[in-house]
Amino acid sequence: MRRALALAAFAAALAAAQNWFPLSASPIALTRPAQPHMPFTVAGDLGAIFGQADGTFEAWVFPVKIASHFRITAELADYPIPIDLQDYAATIEVNPERTTITYSHAAFTVKQHMFSSRGTGAAGPVVFFEIESVRPLTLTIRFTPDMLRMWPAPNFGLPNAEWVDGGYYILHTDNNAFSGAIGIPGAKPGIMAPYQERPKTWPVELKLSFDPKTQSHQFFPLLMATGKSSEDLRARMVNLNKNWAAQYHQTADYYGHFFDQRLTVETPDPQFNLALRWAEIAIDQAQVRLGDETGLVAGYYSSADSARPGFGWFFGRDTLFTLYAINSYGDPALTRRALEFLLRRQRADGKIMHEYSQTAPLVDWAALPYFYASADSTPLLVMAMWDYVRSTGDADFLRAHWAEVKKAWAFTRAHDSDGDGIYENTEGTGWVESWPSGMPHQEIYLAALDRQSCTAMSELAAIMNEADLSSKARAQAESIGATLAAEYFDRPRGFYAFSRNANGSLDRTATAFPSVAWWDGTYELPKSEKMFDRWASPEFSTDWGVRDVSHKESIFDPLSYHQGSVWPLYTGWMAMAEYRAGHAAAGFAHLMQNANMTFTQDIGAVTELLSGEFFQPFGRSSSHQLWSSAMVLTPALRGLFGLETDALHHVLRVHPQLPAAWETATLRNVPIGGTQRADLHFHKQGGKLLIEATTSTAQPLCLTNGTGECPTTTAAVHRLELNLPPFEVNLPPTLPTPGARTASPKIVLQSDFGFEIEGNGGSSVALDVRFAHAPTRIDGATLANGKLTVHFPPGSGYQPAAVRFHW
């Protein structure tokens, strides 16, 4: 009797707390028709929903996949056929705080709202249904109970679903201390086979009855939780039902004020402006809590029948490359949390972690091969610390972790087996995890990072008043640079080799990896002009990004992970290198390929990798990839706008290379150190670019595009006037249709007097162009209505054309 009364009270508590409130779309909401196999991601601190635009999904309360294969059937009164809602998925609307799938039938509309809460008190994912109907209907929600802890933690068999009055199931596993719960308050169970029936697996179902006369303007929340016992879960479900609406409002408020302090852009291209905002949100959604810590996971994708949702682990190098974007848009607290997450897992000898599962604390993670498998996280840690300190001026954070930073740099110096002074791949993979001719001894990728980490270490040691260490690190950086120029440069081809073998020979494969040498702005590879020309050409550049290996190489494979596929990561490295080296047209093309990818697959996010031959992501590509979104932001803010902040000395350097069609642009909330922000306004006027930095109160600042000493002035408005180049030219940014091959023209070479471009024989292209002063003659193109038209000579495949301006 006591248990029956308790269950009745529990059922009443669940039913009593149903909510309804108006929902409004975010100003940056993205909406499109529902394409059934296109993925979506709804991620929060403690859980996520991964699904497809037909409405099917799987649900995680990290680190547990509670259930998957959710599908919904509707039965309408006096309408004698069941209706599979997945066939009626009409639209998907993605807001920062929620994603909505709308099912549209002639007799009803069902909206499947999904969010995963963020902030204090967050409890994981919630799906809440909103129904309108001309007749009463019943929704049957079928799903597969999983109760799978993220790999490699042990699991406890297929869960058994026990119905509990009140509208939910307890999912029992073979471990009495590991259970889950899932349900909708007021729902009824589906098939419940009697004990007498022969053993058979029946679908797990929730049946939700809806009467339009009495239940309109009501949400029906699908709640889920994990716990140790039935009593624990009962309390959690009651609490969730009382509080899920408050958690939704908290999450909506978080994103509603997300850009109050973070950087935003206003340019003539609204899609570009949106892409940068969504890149910041996508990065923010990669935060996952582990105990009392928060780290960044590498990416998300549905797990199918596995126990790992895409790259849902914490990654070292993915985080560290992404921190450059975070520092640029101004979230120093997130950078500190991410760095401390990695530093707490630094190995005793100084090495920085590579991969860490969300269930690593449940297993002997150190005995598995993933923890420190990568060699590049360690130099990247030093680089990222320097970037954080110069971006924020936060020397106290450096002091608190100086011992760990020195230990990381000492690790790189201790692993130089051939004595050439360069950190090697002997302590883990540099970039590639497989290579046809065997794993490299010393990759130019890793060596270039080593060069930049030594420069970073020199700067950090100077801040810490360790002059000898600063001088030693500076000399090491210069030595590495000289060695790379002497040993890696292939003079006849004008290209840098992929790697150096232990016997001193070179692997001369032409790759995109040397581009990382320009990453942090303190280094560049000399004599690189021919390399940039080839990178910009169809040899490397597809219409959706940069292949990592030339399609002319014998090892080229457009379906491989490392020998010919397109990663937005590589495209971002390349765009940064091109902007830093003055190849603005190619840099803009590659930047916009990444930016436009925001709207193509998992809308609001950028995918992990694509085919090197056709415009299509790999089937295994994590659709919401952390550093892919970062590679929209960093090339935009540090490349196109050329921002470099030295907060320690109150200096903001700008090296803008705006596209031809942009006469004006504004950046708001540009971080200039500490809590200080500035708005930057760019305006072209004839042959000049006028830049104005404004702050809410007078601030000490030097606004410059130069290097060296920079005197500061204290004011609320700082101005800078720059000369524009003789001309600006670029291709209007577009992505091809899915499945297309590369066909767009490529600007491969640019000088003060003209440019060279390649396009399909017999075709023509109209380019955006702007002149600081009108030319007296143009050779190789015609100018009309502000567009420059180039005709390519006849022939098969890509053909070259040259355009020259005369003044």
Side-chain angles (χ1 to χ4, degrees):
M1 175 63 72
R2 184 177 298 170
R3 175 175 171 78
L5 290 172
L7 288 175
F10 171 63
L14 280 177
Q18 296 178 357
N19 301 273
W20 187 88
F21 43 86
L23 294 172
S24 57
S26 164
I28 63 170
L30 303 175
T31 303
R32 73 177 180 200
Q35 298 170 270
H37 298 295
M38 285 295 185
F40 69 81
T41 300
V42 181
D45 300 53
L46 296 175
I49 297 168
F50 310 116
Q52 296 178 317
D54 65 356
T56 57
F57 65 92
E58 64 187 49
W60 288 74
V61 176
F62 290 141
V64 179
K65 179 167 64 171
I66 287 191
S68 61
H69 302 96
F70 280 85
R71 299 186 67 86
I72 308 172
T73 300
E75 295 172 85
L76 195 65
D78 301 320
Y79 201 85
I81 60 167
I83 302 164
D84 188 341
L85 261 60
Q86 278 60 52
D87 294 337
Y88 291 86
T91 60
I92 178 169
E93 178 186 282
V94 178
N95 292 270
E97 76 280 5
R98 77 175 188 278
T99 292
T100 298
I101 307 287
T102 297
Y103 307 102
S104 178
H105 184 270
F108 60 82
T109 296
V110 175
K111 293 186 177 182
Q112 177 179 306
H113 304 293
M114 297 165 282
F115 80 97
S116 191
S117 55
R118 183 167 295 286
T120 56
V126 174
V127 181
F128 57 104
F129 296 97
E130 186 176 8
I131 308 170
E132 295 179 89
S133 179
V134 298
R135 299 178 185 176
L137 66 83
T138 298
L139 296 184
T140 300
I141 301 168
R142 296 180 178 89
F143 59 91
T144 301
D146 291 299
M147 289 304 294
L148 285 172
R149 297 196 295 189
M150 195 175 293
W151 194 87
N155 282 298
F156 307 103
L158 294 174
N160 174 50
E162 176 198 0
W163 179 254
V164 178
D165 287 340
Y168 80 107
Y169 292 96
I170 290 183
L171 306 179
H172 298 281
T173 71
D174 293 340
N175 182 337
N176 290 333
F178 177 60
S179 299
I182 184 167
I184 299 175
K188 302 298 181 183
I191 298 170
M192 299 292 290
Y195 173 77
Q196 295 85 350
E197 192 55 50
R198 73 165 74 182
K200 181 179 179 180
T201 299
W202 298 92
V204 179
E205 298 176 337
L206 287 162
K207 288 189 172 290
L208 177 64
S209 296
F210 173 78
D211 186 341
K213 293 181 179 179
T214 60
Q215 293 179 300
S216 294
H217 294 294
Q218 184 170 314
F219 290 136
F220 300 89
L222 174 68
L223 307 172
M224 55 203 86
T226 58
K228 295 182 179 180
S229 66
S230 298
E231 291 74 18
D232 177 29
L233 286 164
R234 186 174 296 121
R236 287 173 185 255
M237 293 295 277
V238 169
N239 187 60
L240 271 174
N241 197 43
K242 288 179 179 178
N243 296 318
W244 73 265
Q247 290 178 0
Y248 173 81
H249 289 302
Q250 175 179 288
T251 303
D253 185 68
Y254 173 85
Y255 285 114
H257 292 282
F258 188 80
F259 295 107
D260 288 356
Q261 294 296 318
R262 294 172 178 86
L263 186 149
T264 59
V265 305
E266 298 167 11
T267 76
D269 185 344
Q271 287 291 94
F272 177 79
N273 305 342
L274 266 179
L276 265 66
R277 289 195 179 215
W278 275 103
E280 295 181 29
I281 289 167
I283 290 171
D284 193 77
Q285 290 173 342
Q287 294 185 79
V288 171
R289 267 192 267 167
L290 188 69
D292 60 354
E293 297 180 274
T294 297
L296 290 169
V297 298
Y300 297 118
Y301 197 45
S302 296
S303 64
D305 294 325
S306 77
R308 183 177 178 184
F311 282 117
W313 294 355
F314 305 99
F315 273 62
R317 65 183 176 195
D318 302 55
T319 294
L320 293 163
F321 270 117
T322 300
L323 293 185
Y324 285 80
I326 295 171
N327 295 337
S328 296
Y329 70 71
D331 191 346
L334 175 53
T335 294
R336 290 192 297 272
R337 290 195 298 270
L339 286 172
E340 288 181 329
F341 188 93
L342 301 181
L343 289 170
R344 288 190 186 105
R345 290 157 181 83
Q346 184 177 32
R347 207 164 66 183
D349 60 2
K351 193 174 187 183
I352 299 300
M353 61 158 275
H354 174 50
E355 297 180 51
Y356 194 77
S357 171
Q358 292 188 42
T359 58
L362 304 176
V363 298
D364 183 4
W365 188 249
L368 296 170
Y370 309 102
F371 206 173
Y372 301 101
S374 161
D376 55 349
S377 298
T378 307
L380 279 166
L381 183 283
V382 181
M383 294 167 58
M385 180 64 81
W386 164 231
D387 193 72
Y388 170 75
V389 173
R390 68 175 172 173
S391 297
T392 63
D394 185 2
D396 289 340
F397 186 76
L398 172 63
R399 291 187 188 97
H401 297 288
W402 181 230
E404 297 107 297
V405 174
K406 289 206 302 185
K407 207 159 61 165
W409 191 68
F411 180 87
T412 62
R413 306 281 49 89
H415 294 90
D416 168 25
S417 63
D418 56 15
D420 66 353
I422 303 177
Y423 181 48
E424 293 158 354
N425 294 48
T426 51
E427 285 303 306
T429 57
W431 181 255
V432 299
E433 294 154 313
S434 63
W435 196 249
S437 59
M439 292 301 289
H441 169 71
Q442 183 188 88
E443 287 175 68
I444 194 167
Y445 161 81
L446 190 60
L449 291 184
D450 192 27
R451 164 63 167 79
Q452 292 168 84
S453 76
C454 288
T455 302
M457 191 64 189
S458 176
E459 298 287 352
L460 293 170
I463 295 170
M464 296 301 296
N465 296 315
E466 295 195 24
D468 289 346
L469 178 57
S470 178
S471 177
K472 179 182 176 181
R474 178 72 60 182
Q476 190 74 40
E478 293 171 357
S479 174
I480 293 171
T483 300
L484 290 180
E487 293 186 354
Y488 275 79
F489 187 62
D490 184 344
R491 191 175 302 275
R493 299 194 303 165
F495 214 93
Y496 279 80
F498 164 68
S499 67
R500 181 173 173 272
N501 300 318
N503 63 7
S505 63
L506 296 177
D507 181 334
R508 300 177 188 274
T509 303
T511 72
F513 299 122
S515 66
V516 83
W518 283 262
W519 176 250
D520 76 351
T522 66
Y523 178 48
E524 61 182 28
L525 292 169
K527 301 177 182 178
S528 57
E529 285 302 313
K530 288 184 179 180
M531 190 162 62
F532 276 101
D533 296 348
R534 290 175 65 182
W535 281 338
S537 77
E539 179 184 353
F540 279 92
S541 287
T542 71
D543 292 349
W544 52 92
V546 178
R547 303 180 183 103
D548 59 341
V549 170
S550 162
H551 72 55
K552 297 181 179 179
E553 294 287 352
S554 61
I555 67 168
F556 172 74
D557 178 359
L559 296 181
S560 70
Y561 199 61
H562 286 307
Q563 290 93 51
S565 56
V566 170
W567 297 40
L569 175 71
Y570 307 147
T571 306
W573 292 347
M574 190 65 68
M576 279 303 306
E578 287 164 334
Y579 275 119
R580 293 196 190 281
H583 299 264
F588 181 69
H590 290 139
L591 163 62
M592 293 307 295
Q593 287 167 349
N594 274 358
N596 287 333
M597 209 82 72
T598 306
F599 313 105
T600 61
Q601 191 194 21
D602 191 337
I603 53 175
V606 181
T607 198
E608 176 199 5
L609 75 163
L610 305 97
S611 165
E613 191 62 31
F614 304 105
F615 179 41
Q616 186 64 39
F618 282 10
R620 276 279 185 179
S621 176
S622 288
S623 62
H624 188 297
Q625 187 75 2
L626 174 70
W627 60 15
S628 295
S629 291
M631 293 302 157
V632 176
L633 288 159
T634 307
L637 301 179
R638 301 194 185 204
L640 186 150
F641 290 108
L643 303 183
E644 297 290 345
T645 302
D646 181 357
L648 292 166
H649 300 97
H650 307 291
V651 175
L652 178 60
R653 293 186 175 87
V654 288
H655 312 273
Q657 298 175 71
L658 304 186
W662 295 6
E663 289 294 311
T664 63
T666 298
L667 305 185
R668 303 203 181 277
N669 292 326
V670 176
I672 56 174
T675 61
Q676 299 303 319
R677 301 286 187 271
D679 290 348
L680 281 185
H681 307 275
F682 301 83
H683 178 64
K684 293 177 182 176
Q685 194 173 84
K688 300 292 184 179
L689 177 63
L690 310 179
I691 306 172
E692 185 176 271
T694 61
T695 53
S696 58
T697 59
Q699 296 295 326
L701 187 69
C702 173
L703 182 66
T704 179
N705 77 327
T707 57
E709 293 297 320
C710 187
T712 62
T713 58
T714 300
V717 180
H718 301 261
R719 294 184 176 89
L720 179 66
E721 182 179 291
L722 302 177
N723 292 321
L724 287 168
F727 71 93
E728 297 153 303
V729 64
N730 54 264
L731 290 154
T734 58
L735 285 174
T737 57
R741 278 194 159 106
T742 295
S744 295
K746 313 292 179 191
I747 297 174
V748 298
L749 178 64
Q750 188 173 339
S751 71
D752 287 342
F753 306 102
F755 62 93
E756 294 180 11
I757 186 170
E758 296 182 13
N760 279 307
S763 69
S764 61
V765 63
L767 305 169
D768 292 330
V769 67
R770 185 189 189 279
F771 298 101
H773 305 284
T776 57
R777 191 174 91 239
I778 300 174
D779 296 334
T782 57
L783 179 64
N785 300 318
K787 292 286 186 178
L788 193 70
T789 300
V790 179
H791 299 280
F792 297 101
S796 62
Y798 275 85
Q799 300 294 320
V803 178
R804 185 174 175 84
F805 304 113
H806 301 267
W807 286 273

